[in-house]
Amino acid sequence: MAIGQYKDIENEGEIVNGLEDLEKPFIQQEGKIVGSYHEDDNDNENGSIWMVLLCTFVAVCGSFEFGSCVGYSAPTQSAISEDLNLSLAQFSTFGSILTIGAMFGAITSGRIADFIGRKGAMRMSACFCITGWLAVYFCQGSFALDIGRLFTGYGIGVFSYVVPIFIAEISPKNLRGGLTTLNQLMIVVGSSTAFLLGTVIPWRMLALTGLVPCILLLVGLFFVPESPRWLAKVGYQKEFQVALQRLRGKDADISREAAEIQIGVMLMVFQQFVGINGINFYASDTFIQAGLSSAKAGTIAYACVQVPITVVGAVLMDKSGRRPLIMVSAAGTFLGSFLAGASFFLKGQSLLLDWVPIMAVGGVLIYVSAFSIGMGAVPWLIMSEIFPLNIKGVAGSLVVLVNWLCAWAVSYTFNFLMSWSSPGTFLLYSGFSLLTIIFVAKFVPETKGKTLEEIQACINA
């Protein structure tokens, strides 16, 4: 791309009427579909919707890969530790180093997605994940194992930013919430698949299954167009110049923009500090500590509950609104964490021992159900909606970096916190759930039913 083109578009002073067409998938102007497709006066909206759905399907292969990476450590903990003779600290490093890689991915994700496009960023992420899985498969010690996990972490760090952004930019406003929520749905599908497969196949074979979504993504990207908003931003099509016409206005107060970024950052902090990655990464061991006779049964239940609940969340996203859904979700994670913490407290006091495993598993399942219905998806959706196009790369990278930094802190400290106090660990997470409800009620705006341009117009006003 030419740097001059980029600057000319960004500094353009007039707002062209065609801006409203960005509500539609792959902007149609005077019978033309602009982008990678030929002109066809007979193309209708259904055709565009199908292309949007195809683009979404290809993109969420990256989300499935995200889930596969996250779900890999829980069912393989015992086998990997035994085969490679890893200590608790070494396996905790392996489990949590994924988030270190994801932090590096987050730092660079916005710039990469802006420089080489959303498709280019997804291709690069898939290559990192493929390299990482192969390193895990062939490893003979902890060093290669950690390097492979670090590479997959980098890949999903970029995926975690670019997939929801890509989907939000191609979706019509009436479908944007539901389609963007498919990102979270496919994360839990990938995680659940890893959980289930990990109970029946060896850990090295499970690593190879992580290659499948990457290959599907790389092939699928040949058949879908680039984000029209990104094409407008870099100046590849005159028809898209209107997309970058001073979305916020020349005299907009940047303090409001800063407030929106702070909202995005805090949502990611709360999303992680309710404890999802600690519980998710080490679910099997948690069930064993609670006294469950078969960790596999709890792991399978954990895997199965995520998917249908996330589907419900996707349906509710554009009906209930973002704010109510995330507050209900946080209330559920509070209840689940409280029950799990209470079960470990009773176990420590040798009270109601027959009920302890039931309460622990029930609490974890309530927790993951509540998280999946709102806390998992809504922060990513709001992040993709509130940032103006011209700062989306930088602001998005910052927010995703914060998310992965918090994810690392939670995933690395979980085993040590559980060793210190199992009840205290879950009560700590329940406290953050309550803080999430208060924060959302006071500071988070409702973005339901607005185009990306309308959201920015509201911010500018």
Side-chain angles (χ1 to χ4, degrees):
M1 80 186 77
I3 295 176
Q5 283 181 304
Y6 177 89
K7 291 183 177 179
D8 290 344
I9 297 168
E10 192 167 38
N11 294 327
E12 186 69 40
E14 300 178 359
I15 297 178
V16 184
N17 293 334
L19 184 63
E20 295 302 319
D21 286 336
L22 284 173
E23 298 178 15
K24 302 176 183 179
F26 305 115
I27 304 174
Q28 295 184 7
Q29 295 177 348
E30 300 176 355
K32 299 179 181 179
I33 298 180
V34 185
S36 302
Y37 305 102
H38 61 276
E39 300 177 10
D40 188 348
D41 292 338
N42 295 322
D43 279 338
N44 54 33
E45 187 174 341
N46 286 335
S48 296
I49 291 297
W50 280 112
M51 181 52 66
V52 169
L53 295 178
L54 176 61
C55 291
T56 302
F57 170 78
V58 172
V60 296
C61 287
S63 307
F64 187 95
E65 174 66 15
F66 185 144
S68 298
C69 295
V70 169
Y72 180 78
S73 61
T76 60
Q77 180 170 358
S78 298
I80 292 178
S81 297
E82 182 178 346
D83 289 354
L84 300 181
N85 195 27
L86 302 183
S87 66
L88 177 63
Q90 286 176 316
F91 191 84
S92 293
T93 299
F94 167 69
S96 63
I97 203 171
L98 180 84
T99 57
I100 299 292
M103 277 189 271
F104 286 109
I107 292 170
T108 58
S109 60
R111 291 296 187 187
I112 289 171
D114 284 348
F115 185 69
I116 63 176
R118 292 15 175 175
K119 288 175 61 178
M122 287 188 280
R123 284 192 181 100
M124 188 196 73
S125 301
C127 292
F128 267 92
C129 288
I130 289 172
T131 304
W133 283 124
L134 291 176
V136 170
Y137 177 78
F138 288 110
C139 74
Q140 297 299 320
S142 61
F143 179 75
L145 187 74
D146 291 345
I147 292 297
R149 185 79 163 164
L150 187 71
F151 269 58
T152 58
Y154 182 85
I156 68 172
V158 177
F159 275 139
S160 66
Y161 169 74
V162 75
V163 170
I165 291 297
F166 179 74
I167 296 173
E169 289 180 347
I170 67 170
S171 302
K173 67 177 182 180
N174 61 312
L175 297 178
R176 190 175 68 244
L179 291 180
T180 306
T181 308
L182 287 177
N183 172 56
Q184 179 65 21
L185 172 62
M186 293 306 292
I187 290 173
V188 300
V189 170
S191 176
S192 297
T193 301
F195 270 53
L196 295 174
L197 289 177
T199 64
V200 295
I201 65 175
W203 62 271
R204 291 186 191 273
M205 291 301 299
L206 184 62
L208 291 184
T209 66
L211 302 179
V212 176
C214 295
I215 294 170
L216 288 176
L217 178 78
L218 290 174
V219 173
L221 287 174
F222 285 106
F223 300 97
V224 300
E226 181 58 88
S227 161
R229 285 179 171 84
W230 181 78
L231 291 171
K233 181 178 180 181
V234 297
Y236 284 163
Q237 293 287 342
K238 290 182 180 179
E239 292 85 349
F240 290 102
Q241 291 183 5
V242 297
L244 223 57
Q245 300 293 325
R246 290 186 174 268
L247 292 176
R248 294 171 296 161
K250 181 172 61 175
D251 300 320
D253 183 358
I254 62 169
S255 64
R256 182 63 185 269
E257 174 183 303
E260 298 300 331
I261 294 175
Q262 290 170 349
I263 288 171
V265 167
M266 289 307 298
L267 278 175
M268 293 306 181
V269 170
F270 285 119
Q271 184 201 50
Q272 290 301 323
F273 278 6
V274 298
I276 182 60
N277 276 312
I279 294 172
N280 193 17
F281 283 13
Y282 312 111
S284 296
D285 192 57
T286 301
F287 293 142
I288 292 173
Q289 290 185 48
L292 192 66
S293 58
S294 172
K296 285 187 177 181
T299 301
I300 291 171
Y302 184 105
C304 292
V305 76
Q306 294 184 89
V307 177
I309 296 298
T310 305
V311 172
V312 173
V315 172
L316 293 176
M317 187 72 71
D318 285 319
K319 293 184 178 180
S320 67
R322 287 39 160 168
R323 295 175 76 251
L325 195 58
I326 200 170
M327 286 191 284
V328 169
S329 175
T333 60
F334 166 79
L335 176 60
S337 295
F338 185 83
L339 281 176
S343 73
F344 281 102
F345 175 80
L346 292 174
K347 182 184 178 184
Q349 302 299 317
S350 299
L351 299 173
L352 302 175
L353 293 180
D354 290 340
W355 286 92
V356 166
I358 297 173
M359 288 179 64
V361 174
V364 170
L365 294 182
I366 290 172
Y367 174 95
V368 73
S369 298
F371 187 90
S372 297
I373 206 170
M375 286 287 290
V378 175
W380 295 108
L381 173 58
I382 291 177
M383 183 270 289
S384 71
E385 292 177 323
I386 64 175
F387 296 143
L389 187 63
N390 59 315
I391 68 159
K392 187 167 285 188
V394 175
S397 292
L398 171 64
V399 169
V400 177
L401 171 61
V402 169
N403 181 279
W404 283 110
L405 178 61
C406 296
W408 171 80
V410 171
S411 61
Y412 185 74
T413 60
F414 180 81
N415 285 325
F416 299 104
L417 286 173
M418 290 289 283
S419 299
W420 162 69
S421 172
S422 299
T425 301
F426 285 98
L427 290 178
L428 177 66
Y429 296 155
S430 66
F432 275 103
S433 296
L434 289 179
L435 290 175
T436 301
I437 297 173
I438 295 170
F439 176 79
V440 172
K442 279 188 69 74
F443 299 110
V444 176
E446 182 57 73
T447 58
K448 169 191 170 187
K450 296 182 175 70
T451 67
L452 301 182
E453 287 71 37
E454 287 169 348
I455 293 169
Q456 290 311 308
C458 291
I459 293 172
N460 294 343

